[in-house]
Amino acid sequence: MVSRCWAFTNLLSIIGLALGVSQLAGPRLFASSPAKAQEVTQAPATAAPANAPSETLYFVALDKQGKPITDLKPEEVRAFEDNVEQKIISVLPAVNEPLTIGLFFDISGSRRADRSINEEVRLTREFVHTIWHEGDAGFVLAFSNEVFVVTQPTHMLKEVDDGLSKIPDATYWGPTALYDALCILKPDRLNGIPGRKIYVALGDFDDNSSRNKLGNVVELAHEAKIAIFPVILREGFGAGGYGKKVEKRGLESAQKIADKTGADVLIPESPKQLSATFERIANELRASYRIVYVPSSPAGDRRKKKLHIETTRPQVTLLFPKN
């Protein structure tokens, strides 16, 4: 097993405190308490150190078949803010950096006709086992109109497995608070976690109950450097009955979140395709890079900037967070 141990000793306190979850049992869905959704606001920008201001981002490099590019060289990468080229300090493969993965399951009423939930969970478990290395961490959340912490953040793969095993026994009911679920962790807490961070959210992506908005999700993801992979489970999974309008709305939301956070929207039509979906996410993780550059804007500049990363290598696609 490859080691990816960094300074993760405070991970449980960093995220656990952010969740604010009671340790007392008693909710109707799982043996854990519903987490209280919070409004997420954009934190004010802080001035970069005068001696060495820098920005760090993660991006993914894929060939035209969607296969990982693992040998990209720094001289093949260019970074821009508001169309102004930035000075790159380093471009390094991030595959061996620690990974924190959040798994989000829609258990709202629109999903109660799902006939493949056990297979979904089995394939999710296989996916996590495929990408997991020593030093990684994960947690499992479920959401309807409330957000339920199924597995607290942990370095123990077995605890993630145990949490996944509870998903099929959930009571699928109520409206959908997807954005509240994705915003449940505070960005200032997440910023204290080194390495890559991804969320994989499974559901129909039609939010009809959140206090948070899609923009709050994007702001949090940008601030905490999280790539969010929407996995849309539709009629092929037995949910059905949404109607074209709801499907379109869910797809549009998923596309915006994925585009803005440097990920992909994935729409498997069957459990067999879900396996290929997870393999695609795994490939993108294998093709991830960390770029560090010196921003040309003055320290303390709080304006939103348009970020663009490109490569001079032909027929290579880069996925990166769009400001």
Side-chain angles (χ1 to χ4, degrees), residues 2-127:
V2 178
S3 175
R4 292 204 290 231
C5 288
W6 276 14
F8 263 73
T9 54
N10 292 325
L11 179 67
L12 296 183
S13 60
I14 288 171
I15 302 186
L17 289 174
L19 287 168
V21 178
S22 169
Q23 298 302 311
L24 299 177
R28 56 188 173 277
L29 296 181
F30 301 106
S32 61
S33 297
K36 183 179 180 181
Q38 62 186 24
E39 293 292 339
V40 177
T41 57
Q42 183 180 10
T46 56
N51 56 342
S54 65
E55 291 286 346
T56 300
L57 294 169
Y58 291 90
F59 69 90
V60 169
L62 303 170
D63 68 15
K64 61 181 180 180
Q65 282 82 37
K67 295 181 180 179
I69 299 293
T70 59
D71 61 347
L72 206 60
K73 298 177 176 59
E75 57 267 26
E76 295 178 300
V77 180
R78 302 173 71 192
F80 298 83
E81 281 189 0
D82 291 339
N83 298 318
V84 177
E85 188 163 6
Q86 309 296 296
K87 179 182 178 181
I88 294 177
I89 298 174
S90 64
V91 177
L92 296 171
V95 65
N96 289 323
E97 292 189 12
L99 176 68
T100 300
I101 178 170
L103 301 169
F104 295 74
F105 286 85
D106 183 350
I107 58 169
S108 65
S110 63
R111 298 281 301 136
R112 61 175 169 263
D114 188 344
R115 298 184 295 271
S116 303
I117 183 63
N118 287 294
E119 185 68 358
E120 293 167 26
V121 169
R122 184 186 70 81
L123 292 171
T124 303
R125 182 183 293 112
E126 287 184 359
F127 161 67

Side-chain angles (χ1 to χ4, degrees), residues 65 93 158 165 206 260 267 303:
Q65 282 82 37
K158 183 181 183 303
S165 69
D206 180 47
K260 295 290 187 180
I267 312 176
R303 293 178 300 111

Side-chain angles (χ1 to χ4, degrees), residues 183-196:
C183 288
I184 201 67
L185 299 182
K186 295 180 180 179
D188 59 334
R189 301 292 186 177
L190 287 164
N191 283 335
I193 304 170
R196 300 166 297 160

Side-chain angles (χ1 to χ4, degrees), residues 201 203-205 229-237 247-248 250-252 254-255 264-278 280-281:
D204 57 46
F205 259 75
F229 291 86
V231 179
I232 299 181
L233 304 180
R234 300 198 300 193
E235 291 188 16
F237 287 83
E247 282 196 6
K248 180 181 179 182
L251 178 58
E252 288 175 349
Q255 193 66 62
D264 268 335
V265 175
L266 303 153
I267 312 176
E269 298 293 345
S270 68
K272 183 177 181 179
Q273 289 186 14
L274 181 58
S275 179
T277 289
F278 282 136
R280 181 171 172 178
I281 298 175

